[in-house]
Amino acid sequence: MLSSLSPLRPHSTAKSTESLLDETLLPLPLESICSQETPEKLSKLRRHPNDFRVLDLDIETRLVGFHKGGRFNPDGCEPIAIAWSFYDSQRVESRQLGVDAPEQMLLDFVAAFHAANMVTGHYLRKFDLPIINSALAERGLPLLGPKLVSDTKLDLKNISGISKKQENLAEMLALAESKYHMTDVQWRKASRLTPDGITETARRVRKDVRQHKLLRAALVQAKLLNPPKVWQ
């Protein structure tokens, strides 16, 4: 983690969604997404909502090898940065190549993953989680395992004719937390793990997580998000 980077904070003009994070954490009653929990456990979760921990995450990648994924599938790549943040905290953690050993980057994230009851992100089930699993498999480490996932792209209500990119949905819902854009020159530095590239990657991945936390809360409030699904 880059200790020199201060946490990224929403602009002062951002829509007031921080107060929504707790009350819109779950789009359905607990019974409908925690079917394996006992009545006693569900009662405890209602009394102590922070016991149901939701983890927001994002990764940045670089191309490796010559594998072509084809339509709607990623080409050969590996994570160069992972950022995550629990919904009961403003803190965003990040690990990345060039600062952390690959195994340490992955294992630190895995610890947070296992501490969460549900994870959330944008295109998580088709991109971030499978790519993290591939990186774990390459290094002979255990895979992530089943987890309840709220995917703000794949779980959107049946809407079409608009871009479903995270930054577009954030703009549509008037969230002031913007995406951190990088040029091709910056991406080349990031892929080569130069000092400047490492810094830019950290800013981008952390800012994506901060934006997404607000985006998911706004989508739930607007009733634009379907229930989460178990990924494995």
Side-chain angles (χ1 to χ4, degrees):
M1 182 177 174
L2 293 178
S3 59
S4 60
L5 287 174
S6 60
L8 300 171
R9 301 187 181 279
H11 301 305
S12 60
T13 56
K15 185 181 278 189
S16 180
T17 52
E18 290 294 344
S19 61
L20 300 174
L21 292 180
D22 289 336
E23 62 190 76
T24 64
L25 203 56
L26 304 174
L28 290 177
L30 283 170
E31 289 88 349
S32 63
I33 64 171
C34 303
S35 58
Q36 296 181 350
E37 299 290 1
T38 64
E40 293 78 13
K41 178 63 174 177
L42 289 172
S43 176
K44 181 181 178 183
L45 288 173
R46 286 195 188 90
R47 292 195 306 270
H48 306 287
N50 284 342
D51 287 352
F52 191 95
R53 302 199 75 194
V54 178
L55 185 73
D56 203 297
L57 70 107
D58 184 57
I59 68 173
E60 302 298 342
T61 63
R62 65 178 175 185
L63 294 176
V64 291
F66 295 97
H67 169 69
K68 295 296 182 184
R71 187 171 173 81
F72 302 125
N73 291 302
D75 292 335
C77 63
E78 66 178 358
I80 58 173
I82 310 175
W84 63 90
S85 177
F86 283 99
Y87 269 59
D88 56 10
S89 172
Q90 293 297 307
R91 182 178 178 85
V92 178
E93 296 281 353
S94 65
R95 303 291 186 273
Q96 59 192 118
L97 300 185
V99 177
D100 306 288
E103 291 80 6
Q104 194 62 53
M105 175 182 74
L106 293 166
L107 291 174
D108 285 355
F109 166 74
V110 167
F113 180 88
H114 288 316
N117 301 93
M118 183 172 82
V119 297
T120 183
H122 201 69
Y123 210 41
L124 208 59
R125 291 198 297 269
K126 294 287 189 179
F127 188 77
D128 304 68
L129 294 177
I131 288 174
I132 291 172
N133 253 356
S134 294
L136 290 166
E138 269 197 300
R139 290 164 177 80
L141 298 171
L143 302 187
L144 292 174
K147 185 70 69 176
L148 192 65
V149 174
S150 177
D151 192 313
T152 52
K153 181 175 183 179
L154 299 178
D155 294 335
L156 277 176
K157 295 289 187 179
N158 189 12
I159 58 176
S160 61
I162 62 171
S163 170
K164 297 178 182 178
K165 289 184 177 180
Q166 177 174 317
E167 62 180 320
N168 187 70
L169 294 173
E171 180 76 15
M172 183 180 77
L173 295 168
L175 301 181
E177 185 73 40
S178 60
K179 192 175 186 70
Y180 186 77
H181 286 282
M182 291 171 59
T183 66
D184 183 62
V185 170
Q186 290 170 310
W187 275 120
R188 291 169 74 87
K189 292 178 179 179
S191 295
R192 292 166 177 161
L193 304 180
T194 69
D196 286 348
I198 290 170
T199 299
E200 295 296 307
T201 304
R203 286 180 179 144
R204 179 181 170 95
V205 73
R206 290 158 61 90
K207 195 169 179 67
D208 274 0
V209 167
R210 290 191 177 278
Q211 183 188 62
H212 188 267
K213 290 177 76 172
L214 298 178
L215 173 63
R216 185 177 182 277
L219 287 171
V220 172
Q221 185 190 43
K223 302 187 187 304
L224 290 173
L225 203 57
N226 284 316
K229 299 179 178 67
V230 173
W231 172 86
Q232 55 187 346

